[in-house]
Amino acid sequence: MTTIPFRLPRKAPASDLGYWAIAYHTASFHRAGVSFRDYGPALYLGVAVFNEHPEYCFDDPRLSLERRYREVRGNSCLDWAQAKPAARAAWERAHAQALAAQIGPAESLRLCAHA
């Protein structure tokens, strides 16, 4: 596997990642010794996927999250099983913010059982 350092993709939701850069260490998914650099790809993925497909729930197989994580992982020490809780937290936060702001037509934002 070729590893590259994590770099923010061009369409990254910078404001959401800014929140996580400050708050990741107090999140329930955080493990001691794991840095934002390691969580960054998963957090990016969670927010980006919600922004791309707000009509899908996080666990929808059409999102291909595990495959997509491998594409953005870079040098993160986290495999998908370890990164998934961070991606879910980022997706859930983006979902909650969209619902609170009533972004888009109501029918495009699905209420998911876990969100």
Side-chain angles (χ1 to χ4, degrees), residues 25-112:
H25 66 283
T26 61
S28 61
F29 60 77
H30 183 257
R31 295 185 349 222
V34 180
S35 70
F36 178 74
R37 185 174 195 88
D38 291 313
Y39 284 118
L43 295 166
Y44 162 77
L45 180 65
V47 175
V49 165
F50 175 78
N51 288 338
E52 291 169 15
H53 298 287
E55 71 277 13
Y56 296 156
C57 291
F58 180 83
D59 293 312
D60 193 305
R62 291 173 287 190
L63 295 176
S64 303
L65 293 175
E66 185 171 3
R67 177 191 56 78
R68 292 180 70 173
Y69 178 70
R70 287 192 305 265
E71 294 171 0
V72 299
R73 179 179 176 183
N75 286 336
S76 173
C77 70
L78 303 175
D79 63 21
W80 175 239
Q82 298 164 318
K84 187 176 179 180
R88 180 183 299 278
W91 185 95
E92 288 176 350
R93 182 173 189 273
H95 183 258
Q97 287 183 317
L99 287 175
Q102 298 179 5
I103 295 174
E107 61 274 6
S108 73
L109 295 174
R110 292 176 79 190
L111 292 175
C112 298

